Amino acid sequence: MVFGQVVIGPPGSGKTTYCNGMSQFLQLIGRKVAVINLDPANDALPYECAVNIEDLIKLSDVMVEHSLGPNGGLVYCMDYLEKNIDWLESKLKPLLKEHYLLFDFPGQVELFFLHDNAKNMIMELIKKLDLRLTAVHLVDAHLCSDPGKYVSALLLSLSTMLHLELPHVNVLSKIDLIESYGKLAFNLDFYTDVQDLSYLQNEISQDPRSAKYRKLTKELCEVIEDYGLVNFTPLDIQDKESVGNLVKLIDKSNGYIFVGIDASAVEFSKIAVGPVDWDYYRVAAVQEKYIKDDEDVDMTKDSETK
């Protein structure tokens, strides 16, 4: 069995930064990680990816050739990838023996609660390659500062959970920046645990722009509460404890922890005896130095050969 994460969320929620930080953290605790970039619009990757969709299709080429905008182009790219799933399977098979997989998907939310392309592709990979995947849905924490936007995020999270039919973890990303967006109407637990939303309705009713949608808001909140599926895990990608808690939750959801309980305990003990604060930027800088050193060595070898 091969374990991994399907990283999704709206544009700007921090998916690429998450994949970069999560891959570094998992490597620190001893896992071999392969990041698979399936976002054809992401042409400035901060991490080294094992598989890149741009080797198959490029968004810029699709937009020019078919006169499509960015959204239509992304839908076309996902449809093209689904039809060429054999290409992705062939790229993944060499990674299956030892690697933990991180799939970095596009930020177009329609792909994950409306269209079937991404879902069909994920299900096909799970079936053929025996993958155990968890959907990690990132939502920017700043949405908590606006009751209307927070309800929209809840509805999006619920719709995505029901559509993808995967083990699912909702994450409030950039939690370290939440105070910069202004004072929250309630404490953070209210937003992460998705408690009694009637209090939120009162906040929305006080906004003259949203008051006329009071009945609609009430009905949406009741739908969310009736399902009782949505809650959030706060994440500061620069904090090792925050990332570690999320990894433990993901490991439980996809079954990784139950396959190798002893191994998981050893992994996290490596972090427990390490520095109190895990510096995301420090780790990234060290990795960049190693990459640069490797490049310098290669250049030296080439010059000696010549």
Side-chain angles (χ1 to χ4, degrees):
M1 290 183 290
V2 182
F3 297 89
Q5 303 174 27
V6 174
V7 183
I8 57 177
S13 57
K15 295 181 296 300
T16 299
T17 301
Y18 172 89
C19 288
N20 189 24
M22 180 58 70
S23 65
Q24 292 174 21
F25 181 89
L26 293 173
Q27 288 168 12
L28 285 175
I29 62 177
R31 299 187 197 179
K32 288 188 176 181
V33 181
V35 185
I36 295 91
N37 175 45
L38 297 181
D39 183 359
N42 194 353
D43 55 0
L45 298 172
Y47 53 76
E48 183 178 351
C49 57
V51 182
N52 193 343
I53 191 177
E54 286 205 339
D55 294 336
L56 175 69
I57 188 170
K58 293 184 178 181
L59 178 62
S60 56
D61 294 342
V62 169
M63 292 171 63
V64 171
E65 184 176 345
H66 299 281
S67 300
L68 294 171
N71 291 340
L74 283 172
V75 173
Y76 182 95
C77 289
M78 287 297 104
D79 184 54
Y80 188 84
L81 181 58
E82 183 190 2
K83 287 180 171 59
N84 291 273
I85 192 71
D86 292 342
W87 173 86
L88 183 56
E89 288 177 19
S90 66
K91 294 287 187 179
L92 291 176
K93 282 180 179 178
L95 307 172
L96 298 181
K97 188 174 181 180
E98 297 180 329
H99 289 81
Y100 185 97
L101 307 179
L102 292 177
F103 292 88
D104 188 1
F105 272 88
Q108 190 180 5
V109 296
E110 298 95 318
L111 295 172
F112 304 103
F113 77 88
L114 185 60
H115 298 288
D116 288 329
N117 308 77
K119 177 185 176 181
N120 293 341
M121 183 176 59
I122 293 168
M123 293 304 172
E124 186 76 8
L125 293 175
I126 289 174
K127 180 180 179 181
K128 288 189 175 181
L129 304 180
D130 193 25
L131 305 184
R132 299 292 184 270
L133 302 177
T134 291
V136 180
H137 184 243
L138 303 182
V139 173
D140 197 322
H142 92 271
L143 298 179
C144 296
S145 61
D146 186 315
K149 292 180 180 178
Y150 175 70
V151 171
S152 298
L154 290 175
L155 198 60
L156 173 62
S157 300
L158 177 60
S159 301
T160 304
M161 293 174 76
L162 297 176
H163 185 72
L164 287 183
E165 299 178 333
L166 287 173
H168 198 101
V169 176
N170 292 303
V171 177
L172 276 182
S173 62
K174 307 178 188 178
I175 201 68
D176 52 312
L177 302 176
I178 195 168
E179 292 183 357
S180 64
Y181 303 125
K183 186 177 179 181
L184 298 179
F186 307 98
N187 59 32
L188 186 60
D189 290 344
F190 176 88
Y191 298 96
T192 57
D193 297 342
V194 190
Q195 298 171 5
D196 191 348
L197 296 180
S198 61
Y199 294 103
L200 204 63
Q201 295 173 39
N202 295 332
E203 289 290 321
I204 294 175
S205 298
Q206 295 175 14
D207 185 345
R209 296 170 299 176
S210 305
K212 60 181 178 180
Y213 303 115
R214 184 183 307 168
K215 185 176 180 181
L216 175 61
T217 302
K218 180 176 180 295
E219 297 295 333
L220 292 176
C221 289
E222 287 180 358
V223 169
I224 295 166
E225 290 183 324
D226 287 345
Y227 274 97
L229 294 176
V230 183
N231 55 32
F232 292 99
T233 299
L235 174 67
D236 175 2
I237 196 62
Q238 302 175 50
D239 179 64
K240 74 164 188 183
E241 183 177 355
S242 178
V243 180
N245 289 336
L246 179 58
V247 170
K248 290 176 183 177
L249 183 60
I250 294 170
D251 286 351
K252 288 180 182 178
S253 67
N254 62 21
Y256 182 93
I257 194 171
F258 303 113
V259 172
I261 294 178
D262 294 336
S264 295
V266 172
E267 285 178 349
F268 283 99
S269 68
K270 295 178 182 178
I271 292 297
V273 298
V276 175
D277 292 319
W278 172 56
D279 189 343
Y280 164 78
Y281 294 104
R282 175 176 57 78
V283 174
V286 170
Q287 286 194 336
E288 288 178 4
K289 180 179 182 300
Y290 286 149
I291 293 173
K292 185 176 185 301
D293 290 345
D294 290 341
E295 291 175 348
D296 292 342
V297 170
D298 292 339
M299 291 175 65
T300 302
K301 290 181 179 178
D302 290 342
S303 61
E304 290 175 353
T305 303
K306 293 178 181 177

